[in-house]
Every structure is written in C-alpha cells, then in structure tokens.
Amino acid sequence: MVEALDLFLKIGLDKRTAENTIANNKVTSNLIAVINEANVTDGCERSTGNLLYTVATKFPANALVHRPKLLEYIVSSKIKTPAQVEAAFAFLTVTSSEDLDISKFEEACGVGVEVSSEDIERTVDEMFEEKKSAILEQRYRTNVGDLFAHVRKKQPWADPKIVKQLIDSKLYGLLGEKTAADNEKPVKKKKEKVVKVEEDKTTIEEEINPYLIFPAPEENYKVHTEVFFSDRPVLRACNSKETLEKHLKEAGGKVLTRFPPEPNGYLHIGHAKAMFVDFGLAKERGGGCYLRYDDTNPEAEKKEYIDHIEEIVSWMGWKPFKITYTSDYFQELYDLAVELIRTGHAYVDHQTGDEIKEYREKKMNSPWRDRPISESLKLFNDMKNGMIEEGKATLRMKQDMQSDNFNMYDLIAYRIKFTPHPHAGDKWCIYPSYDYAHCIVDSLENITHSLCTLEFETRRASYYWLLDALSLYQPYVWEYSRLNITNTVMSKRKLNRLVTENYVDGWDDPRLMTLAGLRRRGVTATAINTFVRGIGITRSDGSMIRLERLEYHVREELNKTASRAMVVLHPLKVVITNLEPSSVIDLDAKKWPDAPNDDASSYYKVPFSNVVYIEESDFRVKDSKDYYGLAPGKTVLLRYAFPIKCTEVVLSDDKKTVVEIHAEYDPDKKTKPKGVLHWVAETSPGVDPLKVEVRLFDKLFLSENPGELDNWLNDLNPESKVVIPCAYAVPSLQFTEVDDKFQFERLGYFVADKDSTPEKLIFNRTVTLRDNYGKASK
C-alpha cells in the first residue's frame, strides 16, 4: 500500500485523495492498472494525473478494450480537459470492440480544437444579452450553473476556469455590489402534508421508465465484463459480429428475458421484483419472457410448487412467452459437458464434499485436475450410465484455483443422484449444477438480458468463462439489488422452517411475505407491482425497505377499489329508548365516499332499530375534551343515521363493567356533534346482527431485520395474529364471496378469507387505515 501511495502522489494526486483511494481496493486496482497502461509510473503533470484518476473511476466497463487508446491521447495532451474525457467516455461506450474510427473519435472529443479567450468572451457576452432580463430580476440568486452549462453547450472545449472568471466578472459588472436584499435567505415554502408529498412521489415513480438503463439487443457486441486470471490474459467478454448476427436472426431482434425460479417453495415478494424486472423489460420492449423452471435438483422439486409458480405469475399480471424447464435441455447440457472435457476445460474429480471445500479454501488443485482427457471422458460416461456410486465422482470445470474470485475455483458442473426427476423421469442419474446449466440455457434460449440479484455478481466471471470456453453466444448480464423488507424473513430456508414447524399456518399464511400469503391477506397484484416500480431497479445493495412503504401502496389501491361497510369488532349494546322496539328504519349507506346521489348501486341498505351496537372503545364513563366518542350526557352521530345522546349507563354487578347504554336519538338531526361512530343494529327485535369472524394480522417479527438474529424465532410477534370470533356486521355482507375486499369504516381494509363457510364468514385485515409511511421516512 505504501508503494501505491507513492505512485499516486507521483501523478499529482493530493495526499488526502491518494489515501482515500487506497481505502478502496477496487479503485486502487483500477488506478494502478491505468497508470501502468499509460506508462507514467515515474510520474506526470498534475493535470494529467487528475484525468487518469477520472479514467480509473469512471471509464465505461463495456469499452475497456479502448482504454489504452484514450490514455495515449491523455498522456500526449491531445485530450487535456475533463469535458474532453467525458466526451471520450460517451463515444467509446457506443463503439464496437473491433473497430475504432480515429477521425470520428478525435472529432467527438475536440482533439486539436483550440478555443481562444476572445471566443469564450464573445459567447459569454451573447449569453448575458439573451438572459439579461432574467438575471436582473433574480440578481445574485441566478443559477450560475445554468449560465455555465449554456456556455459549455456553445463552446464545449472552452477552458472552464476562464468561463467561470468571465461569468463572475459579467455578473458583477451588471449587478454591482450585493445589497442587503441579496443576502437575505429566501423564504421557504410551507411543507405540504406528508400524504400529499407521497402521492406526488408516487406519480413521479410511475412516470419514470425503469428499463431505460438496459441496452438494445443489437448493442451486445460491447465489452462490459472483464474476467481476470492468475495464469492467462484477461477475458473481455463480448460477442463477435458473426455470433451476434446469428443470435439476432434467431431471436428476431427482440428482447428475450427469463424468469427462472427453482420449484422448491412458494414465491415471495422478492420474486415479484424479479418478475417486474424480467417480464417488465420484455413487455416494455415488445419482446418475450420465458418462465423457466430451474429444476436441476430432483430431490427438492415438487409439482405443487410448479403449479403454484405458474398460477401466481399469471395472478401478478404477467404472461410468459414460453414455459420451459432446464431439464428440457439435459441432453444438450450433457453433450456440451463432453465438449468441455475434450477441450481440456473440465475433469472428473473424486474428492468428497469436505475435501473440495478444504482444497478451495487453501487454493489447492484437486489431485485429479490434470488427469488425461480420455480418462475423464470415460469416467463421465460411466457416471451417466450409473456405473459410479453417488458421491464418488463429480465433473468439475477447470477454471482458476488461484483467482481472487471464489466462484472461479473449479465449480462443480455435474453430480450423481440416483433420484428420478419430476419432469425428466428416470432417464438421468447425473444432474447439472446451477453454475453450469443456467448460463448455457440462457444462451440456448437466445436470452438477450440475463438479469439477477446482486448476490450472483461474483458468478458473472464463471458465467462468461463457461460460454467463452464453449464458444457460445453471450447474453448481457446485469445484477440489481434484492428486495429486503422490514419485520419479515424471505430466505427459503427460514420460510420453510416457519411453515414445516407450524409457526405459521402454511405457505399462504397472511403474515408471510409470500405472494400467496399477501394475496390471501387481500393485497392486490397492482399494489405490489406499483410498490416494486417505485423502488426502482438499482444496484444499491443492503438497503432495507420499510414495510410501511408497501402498506402505503396497498392503501392507495384499496381506497379506490374496496367498497365501504360497517363492522363492530367488540360490540357494546346501545338501547335507543325513544324508538319503538318493533320499528326498523332502512337507511342508505355509501359504498364509496363520493357516491353520486342518483346511483343506487353506490349505496347499500343498513337497518336502524332500537338496539344498536358500537365499539366498546367508543364509550367512556369519564369524558374529556380530546375524546370524540360517546359518554354520559354526550351526543355523537351514528354514521349514515342519527345523533344519539347517552342518557343512562347500565353496569354489571361489579359496578365497573359497562353492560349496556341507554340513549335517545334525534330524528330531526338538529344537533351537530363532532364525533362520528360506526355501528351495527339488530335487524328485528331480539335477533343479533350478522356474526362474522375477524382476523387481525400484524407484523410477523418484532425486529426490523430478524434474519440477522441468532435466535430469530424468538423474535416472532406474539400479537401477529389476533382472532375475534364474534364481531357484528351489517346485513349486506352476508352475500360476500371469497376474496371480496372492503373498507370496514374506521377500522381498516379487509378481505373475505377462503376459510369462510355458508354458516360463518371470515375476514382478514389487510392493512389499517393509519398511514405510517410518511412519518417513518421523514
């Protein structure tokens, strides 16, 4: 590191920048490589060194083959300003790896163009004349950056220092000294309410096209990945013109992606993001997305999971271009493995799993790594024919045991498993690994964009190494951050344990972040996709998205689509003493807040009788100024009905517990109380209202990140599911069907559960009415 520091100081970096650079291994490695490529290990001018630093930190990865040429121009001072370097980046990003047109490159970068001080001054004068009125109005609050950008647009190769000096001088000449008013801080506008800000933010989220970052299929000739080896030249992954032309012809020039779940469990909300990326990109570009089952492990796959995945993909609103299985390609994969052995890129190994692990940790070659090719071919054939015991042999790729990348340590390509395959039957007793199969099948299916989460980034080297070794077409690989949400777990291992050990009630328990669980909870596919779109497709790893953010989008959706109804969870009896017991008044209640008066379908009938029920929490024996519920001598309004005034409180024998309330109603609605309560009434004398069961679901775990805890099961929230077996509902709910969604007024959003029977309806709480997202994100 001392040598690196000296090297960085020699090229003119200040000591602080040099020390900060050394703290970043990736930038250090890049800068050392750039200095060596530029042949300035003995030092250079500071201005040149600063440009070299820019190259080391910002040079486009897909154009690395052209980096030496750019460095040649920088060292020779043909390119000498940051603006020229940025122009070079833009030009080289879209330049073929085979051909660099020097004349076009020099023209794009302003090589040889000299901009005189007079030229710059004339441009500045013209700009000030054009913007004079606006500058005089805004005075020193004028955005100098905008002025600078205007000049740079006209004179892109002008010296930025001269431009800045001239702009400052012209401003002073036009405006003079700053006045007291110029020095006053601008008055800040009053902040809008959090909810409104969030609504505006959501609109912006929906307008942004998240797929603009991905290149077109015809651009997949560029180098965007380098694979470094300990014993051979750097592999610059890219397609030849012939290979790309063949691919484009076979794929029809369309974008082809794949969503490749392993059918060993139920999909969770993280898969919703993967679907949004894979299916969404294909749809946006007019292409297609394969639903490909990654079924390389016959012991883990179940038809239950395969059926679930296909059904849930459809529910999420996506339509596969084709449904395929990795096992569809078992023969092609085997044939290519034989070819890999023939070319010296694979070998049959007899180490045990523990021995392989130990040798990889020590960067030691397997004793069988250099066995004759003919021997490996025979042994691999024996493996296929079931002549070698399970665990006694594997086929390993001959990669680079001295690499800095652990995923280049001779990964396993095939292993023996005497287990029939759910899809392929009993034809095979050897099965390919994920690391071997997925990149080859991507190539065979002509996938244009192979997109996955960031934990697979280190596997990119192996991906391209294998396709290069087999001379196959290479898709464009890009990784994005996985979706992590607070107060839950999403690893399949942990989810499987929660289900199999009965901590939850199956894969579709509404407390889980499985898509089946969210669906059963009443969350819509539209809300999930809007939530995922708002998060975006980024590479910022390790971020935790608050559960409240998802709930915000759920509320936004259900507020538009869920009809209103009234349910009382903890009924407290209220006897209306000035209404005849036999009298029942049918009232109109709104299904929607803005229901038009002339639309009968926007209303439902609710009976009002002399016995109604309100929530226990909506009554207090002692009133207070900040309480809007019912209390002795106090009046409240029953929603869609009449004002009632408490006239008497009936207590139990303990003289504490309220048994019932007596009240009088105001049929003329002369009183205008502040408090408004939801309620349910008897439909006829002595007949209880409709009884329903309500399940209140909350966060499954108490901690925001339970997956990091050693005893994560101890963090389960004991109040995550509360069952209310006997709530009262308005009569109109008796016709409810499974999956019907409602807003129970003042309580939250609810959905009819599949456990409902003709005798008893069951409702799951989807989300409360309260919105904490804005508060949490402040």
Side-chain angles (χ1 to χ4, degrees), residues 639-650:
R639 185 89 160 128
Y640 309 120
F642 307 96
I644 63 169
K645 181 178 181 180
C646 176
T647 57
E648 184 182 352
V649 179
V650 180

Side-chain angles (χ1 to χ4, degrees), residues 141-381:
R141 293 194 177 92
T142 300
N143 189 327
V144 176
D146 289 344
L147 303 181
F148 194 95
H150 186 92
V151 175
R152 182 170 176 179
K153 187 175 181 180
K154 296 286 183 67
Q155 297 285 3
W157 317 122
D159 187 326
K161 291 182 180 178
I162 297 176
V163 174
K164 180 69 165 56
Q165 290 169 358
L166 284 170
I167 288 176
D168 289 345
S169 175
K170 292 289 291 183
L171 273 176
Y172 183 81
L174 182 63
L175 304 176
E177 294 285 350
K178 283 188 177 182
T179 65
D182 291 327
N183 291 320
E184 286 181 3
K185 290 184 179 180
V187 178
K188 290 185 178 180
K189 292 182 179 180
K190 188 177 180 181
K191 289 185 178 180
E192 296 179 8
K193 290 183 179 180
V194 171
V195 174
K196 290 184 179 179
V197 172
E198 184 58 41
E199 288 172 355
D200 292 341
K201 178 181 176 182
T202 305
T203 302
I204 294 170
E205 287 174 352
E206 292 173 352
E207 288 175 353
I208 294 172
N209 183 347
Y211 307 110
L212 294 176
I213 59 177
F214 298 116
E218 58 270 20
E219 295 181 58
N220 196 10
Y221 57 82
K222 303 170 186 175
V223 177
H224 85 295
T225 298
E226 285 187 325
V227 182
F228 295 92
F229 298 96
S230 63
D231 57 353
R232 70 200 94 157
V234 174
L235 167 63
R236 292 184 168 91
C238 63
N239 291 302
S240 66
K241 282 187 176 180
E242 296 75 18
T243 300
L244 184 59
E245 285 173 1
K246 181 186 176 187
H247 154 75
L248 291 172
K249 185 177 180 181
E250 292 176 352
K254 290 186 175 182
V255 166
L256 292 176
T257 61
R258 83 287 182 272
F259 174 59
E262 188 177 356
N264 62 356
Y266 277 51
L267 301 187
H268 54 64
I269 196 168
H271 294 104
K273 180 174 181 178
M275 281 186 251
F276 180 82
V277 175
D278 296 320
F279 284 99
L281 172 61
K283 183 178 180 180
E284 193 267 341
R285 301 284 176 90
C289 178
Y290 286 84
L291 169 55
R292 183 204 305 156
Y293 293 105
D294 176 25
D295 59 343
T296 56
N297 183 0
E299 296 172 337
E301 279 97 43
K302 290 183 182 179
K303 190 174 186 307
E304 172 194 354
Y305 301 141
I306 292 172
D307 293 342
H308 155 74
I309 290 170
E310 189 171 341
E311 195 270 336
I312 213 74
V313 166
S314 176
W315 177 72
M316 285 296 297
W318 305 116
K319 185 177 181 180
F321 166 63
K322 286 182 182 177
I323 297 177
T324 60
Y325 297 76
T326 298
S327 56
D328 293 340
Y329 304 92
F330 275 179
Q331 186 62 53
E332 291 93 330
L333 290 166
Y334 173 79
D335 294 340
L336 288 168
V338 171
E339 179 63 24
L340 205 64
I341 298 171
R342 282 203 182 104
T343 56
H345 290 106
Y347 61 96
V348 172
D349 187 28
H350 300 289
Q351 288 183 300
T352 65
D354 289 340
E355 288 171 339
I356 290 174
K357 181 180 178 182
E358 178 187 353
Y359 273 56
R360 294 182 82 205
E361 288 174 349
K362 295 178 179 179
K363 291 191 172 186
M364 292 169 55
N365 290 345
S366 164
W368 289 278
R369 193 176 200 263
D370 297 316
R371 73 189 327 161
I373 290 175
S374 58
E375 195 172 293
S376 282
L377 285 170
K378 179 185 181 302
L379 287 166
F380 189 51
N381 189 59

